[in-house]
Amino acid sequence: MRTKESSGVDRVVIVGVCPEVEAGRFPVKRGVGQVMTVEADVFTECEEPMDVLLKYRRADSREWNHTPMCRIGQERFRGSFRLEEAGLYRYTIDARPSAAAEGGAIDGTVEGKSERWVSYERELPLLVTPVRARYGAWYHTFPRSCGEPGRHGTLRDLQSQLPRIAAMGFDVVHVPPIHPIGRTGRKGRNGVAVAGIDDPGSPWAIGSHEGGHTAIHPELGTMADFRELMTSARSLGLEIALDIAFQCSPDHPYLSECPAWFRRAKDGTFEWVIDPPNEYRDVVGFDYACADWQGLWRELHRVVEFWIEQGVRVFRADNPHTKPFPFWEWLLAQVKDAHPEVMFLSEGLTRPAVMHHLAKVGFDQTYDYFPWKVSKPELIGYYSYLARPEIRDYFSPVLWVNTPQVLPMCLQGKGPRAFASRLVLAATLGSSYGVYGPAFEVCENRPERSGKEDYANSEQFELRHWDTERPGNLRDLITRVNAIRRQNPALQSNDGLCFHPVDNDRLVVFSKTSPDGTNVVVVVASTEPDHTQRGWVTLQREQLGMLQGRPCLVHDLLDDRTYDWSAPRNYVELGPEGPIAHVLAVRI
Amino acid sequence: MRTKESSGVDRVVIVGVCPEVEAGRFPVKRGVGQVMTVEADVFTECEEPMDVLLKYRRADSREWNHTPMCRIGQERFRGSFRLEEAGLYRYTIDARPSAAAEGGAIDGTVEGKSERWVSYERELPLLVTPVRARYGAWYHTFPRSCGEPGRHGTLRDLQSQLPRIAAMGFDVVHVPPIHPIGRTGRKGRNGVAVAGIDDPGSPWAIGSHEGGHTAIHPELGTMADFRELMTSARSLGLEIALDIAFQCSPDHPYLSECPAWFRRAKDGTFEWVIDPPNEYRDVVGFDYACADWQGLWRELHRVVEFWIEQGVRVFRADNPHTKPFPFWEWLLAQVKDAHPEVMFLSEGLTRPAVMHHLAKVGFDQTYDYFPWKVSKPELIGYYSYLARPEIRDYFSPVLWVNTPQVLPMCLQGKGPRAFASRLVLAATLGSSYGVYGPAFEVCENRPERSGKEDYANSEQFELRHWDTERPGNLRDLITRVNAIRRQNPALQSNDGLCFHPVDNDRLVVFSKTSPDGTNVVVVVASTEPDHTQRGWVTLQREQLGMLQGRPCLVHDLLDDRTYDWSAPRNYVELGPEGPIAHVLAVRI
């Protein structure tokens, strides 16, 4: 006979606790400023009033805060608290039959038998992430292409671009690695195996005699330039996101200083980084399980801390799946413990389970599969999946319309309408979205080869000059879309997403609703923007907190027109002669 | 820096393990003879072959059996094993990169780094239940009503009924408590507060000077009669299910022998059992948390063991929610540990969370809400919910068409068609179903009062004589339906349930498929059997493993007609002039 559990005292059951990621093994994520809501089934065998408390504390504090949970169903309770500061928290639930507290028994069972609280069996972790980890517009650009034509651009050149980027309404400027680039194995234009004498090499081939992961490529400038860039960015409300690519050119100082940190082939030579089907013959990889793994891990931690000292708050991890999960879990916990305001974006990969596990072990955000979600079923299927509460609890996507490595098939050879349509979709479907900026602004649409997603003359291997003023550029639309995002809280979260029926398989209609329900935006987009698409939209009004039959005006935030959508079904038409999309603020 | 986990060695991730009930806090349930299938996502950060093993053992053994799990998706693995014997088991998963075992590295990462297996963090419990806990037809009857009219029936009278009950194809005969009935507070006919001198009282008011929970009511017979009843039942392939009602008439010997076991009111008197809105003034309740709770619990355990010694293998727990969960969890574990062949059915209650929790703590089966699921949306909604894998993992319903306490509204005042329709529905929708037998056979349809579900002249408070031969009785249909259940493995499990579209809101169409896919039964039932209902059925052929456009013959097992259902849509018509339902064996 078991003792405590079976003594008849612990009659209180606390189950069905929500949210909870893998039974508390990994933290639930929420953003600063959000409200954390917790629900649970709490009951005893008899029907009786219960006192239920939601308890929470900072992980580094022993002091619990508590707030009552209220009955919202037969045995279901709900409580919530506001998240004021980033950092790691713990939460759990205490409960007891109310009768004991009130001094009067509801029935004979409880009287005098449970003066005490029963705690839920787990203290669950909650990671409160910075605002930028939930909501932001990202602009990817290569500093070395920011200069005058024919000249290697610098950090100062990038700095001079910041006001333009800020004016378009972006929040984060993401740059590739800014460190010295190796010579050995350097790749040439379009990724060919042998570089020409003037080829600048890939910024991801980090390290030369000029330094490694804490140095700046001399042609880009100095550490002082970098600090000035950071100051300038901050004054414009921009974050600079740095790329952390933990891999080394064969010329990296680490190879001579700490050769034991690297992977070796059977013949004793250093091993190239292999990420099937790619082989990166300009970089070698760390051995995270080498004898001196603790030394290696500490050094990589030091690299991140170095850049935090220079003011960096946003990091984007390159090829995260070529490093072990325990490494990331440890590194990210270390950094966040000391700097809760710092955030990490994980690059995407073709293995969803691995990508989602990286989010669980601590990445705040992750690239998603937006470039390959083009048709209506693909978009609805994938974003309905990502909108599931149990996925949203740990996975926060950044919808990249394009990246330096991916010119999506749906944009290859296409004109501004295709680019504009994908921009509106990404920027409204996702609270975080990004563009590989200059190439996107000018609708660069040439792949290196037919059937491949690499850009022709990719900036990864050569300098490019972008004439962002050229006719057909999308600056005005981008500026408008980013302004709409800033003015509409509904678009700053992925929590209130709902798809609506429309009787055309090439039209997608969805709404987003702000957490307080006061801001509703309905988006009508076409998956074939080069052809006219017509359809009847049936807005699911009850999903939007609207009554059937009541007047409903919608205001198009893209072209400032207003429509009467009081009828149950409403006609829409998108196409070459008409609007590219509707982004409709609903006046309830 | 953490040590083992973060050393870079434990790169193997095992997540998304299915099945798993509340992170292993409660056992997954499966039946003897079934195949236990386990799936999990197993991966490392790199794309590499994995060795994955499903391990299982009896809980009382230290020896693991293991079977390989095969890759069925990008990172998804599946393994299975057959369940030969009832009892408690444990299962878990071991995995490692294959490269180590093969002696050749897939890439530089793994070579020589993980010669060892990584185990899933939990050893999960699995309860293998007897066949009867998954599949059976139950017949509830009162032995005291089995005699000649005007005479108190006996266990011998019941014994003489067994061949008839067995011939109808039932598997379990459930009787109310057979113990001496108290005098103090005895209730009269129709539950009135004061009994007449000849009123026999409720069998649930257990205990008198003639004995308590291990005695037999003298008017029913002797312990020798009971043992003979058990022998006779077994020879007919029937189980006798005993009612365990842990409550006492004020005349029960326990009250004088162990008065400290009982709940007391403030004035020191024993407390009636209260189960709002009911107050049972003929019984008092145990205090499961009294000072001598261990003595009380042991005694109740002894009661169950006593009846197991007399040959009882099936128990039905009365009012399980008036006892604490830890008591049931302890009692059921004790009994099952010694007697894995014994099973427990939990009575239902109006609080689903409590009912489901009782299933988690160890009840093999539970009454469900079938009596109140009458309309098409109610039936599809509720049984789709119960068919979810995560519910089926622990919850196995018995669909009672009626019980001595519940004459469902849908049968009140109705004729044989209504009874027949509900019988076919319960017996085909549920692998386990039951009838409160004689009253059902003769279509007893009078409630005690309008708007209440109690039977008029309920057997709970008086002797009844049932003329089961009277015209309009349902014996032939019951016999046919039970025979169909025995001949069709599809109807012996709830795992293969699928609802199909039909363009009539009063017709319900569903299929059940046997685990091996070879037996498919399609049922067409009406929710308004007294009116003609017509409709076109669109069989979801791909759900049944059938090809579109191939010939399809269906054979009605109720009336032996055969129909050609090769077309995509097929016409059905049920009603007063036609069949009551279709139970169609599909010939693929």
Side-chain angles (χ1 to χ4, degrees), chain B residues 409-426:
Chain B
M409 292 292 176
C410 64
L411 297 182
Q412 293 187 12
K414 292 293 170 63
R417 289 194 66 83
F419 283 73
S421 180
R422 293 290 289 176
L423 175 86
V424 172
L425 208 47

Side-chain angles (χ1 to χ4, degrees), chain A residues 524-541:
Chain A
V524 182
S526 169
T527 62
E528 290 198 3
D530 289 334
H531 299 90
T532 299
Q533 300 296 339
R534 304 177 181 88
W536 289 87
V537 178
T538 307
L539 220 53
Q540 305 295 290
R541 292 187 167 213

Side-chain angles (χ1 to χ4, degrees), chain A residues 418-484:
Chain A
F419 282 73
S421 179
R422 292 291 288 175
L423 174 86
V424 172
L425 208 47
T428 53
L429 200 46
S431 58
S432 295
Y433 87 103
V435 290
Y436 160 40
F440 186 83
E441 285 184 68
V442 303
C443 305
E444 173 82 358
N445 65 5
R446 291 177 306 121
E448 189 227 320
R449 273 177 291 165
S450 164
K452 302 278 283 182
E453 290 174 328
D454 308 77
Y455 276 91
N457 299 104
S458 166
E459 275 192 271
Q460 188 173 347
F461 304 107
E462 63 187 275
L463 308 184
R464 292 290 299 268
H465 180 77
W466 302 101
D467 175 11
T468 55
E469 301 294 330
R470 87 180 183 201
N473 77 70
L474 293 178
R475 193 202 299 184
D476 289 348
L477 177 68
I478 294 170
T479 306
R480 182 105 192 186
V481 166
N482 283 337
I484 292 170

Side-chain angles (χ1 to χ4, degrees), chain B residues 114-166:
Chain B
S114 47
E115 292 298 349
R116 39 181 289 236
W117 294 88
V118 172
S119 291
Y120 181 54
E121 60 192 301
R122 291 187 276 274
E123 291 184 5
L124 300 163
L126 163 67
L127 186 66
V128 180
T129 61
V131 169
R132 203 49 76 219
R134 315 291 297 184
Y135 157 58
W138 295 59
Y139 187 92
H140 192 306
T141 191
F142 285 67
R144 71 186 184 187
S145 294
C146 290
E148 295 301 308
R151 177 170 69 72
H152 192 290
T154 65
L155 296 177
R156 285 178 176 276
D157 291 324
L158 172 59
Q159 188 177 333
S160 72
Q161 293 275 337
L162 294 185
R164 198 184 72 82
I165 298 170

Side-chain angles (χ1 to χ4, degrees), chain B residues 308-322:
Chain B
I308 292 171
E309 269 172 47
Q310 314 312 317
V312 178
R313 296 287 170 271
V314 181
F315 293 92
R316 176 265 193 192
D318 183 66
N319 267 348
H321 61 295
T322 56

Side-chain angles (χ1 to χ4, degrees), chain B residues 203-214:
Chain B
W204 283 273
I206 296 170
S208 75
H209 67 280
E210 293 147 328
H213 282 75
T214 54

Side-chain angles (χ1 to χ4, degrees), chain B residues 239-277:
Chain B
E239 290 286 351
I240 301 291
L242 223 59
D243 209 293
I244 41 175
F246 286 143
Q247 56 200 22
C248 296
S249 143
D251 307 329
H252 197 294
Y254 284 154
L255 273 88
S256 50
E257 291 164 12
C258 307
W261 286 352
F262 292 88
R263 294 181 196 154
R264 305 282 188 140
K266 287 228 167 70
D267 63 3
T269 57
F270 293 112
E271 274 207 355
W272 308 119
V273 171
I274 299 171
D275 174 29

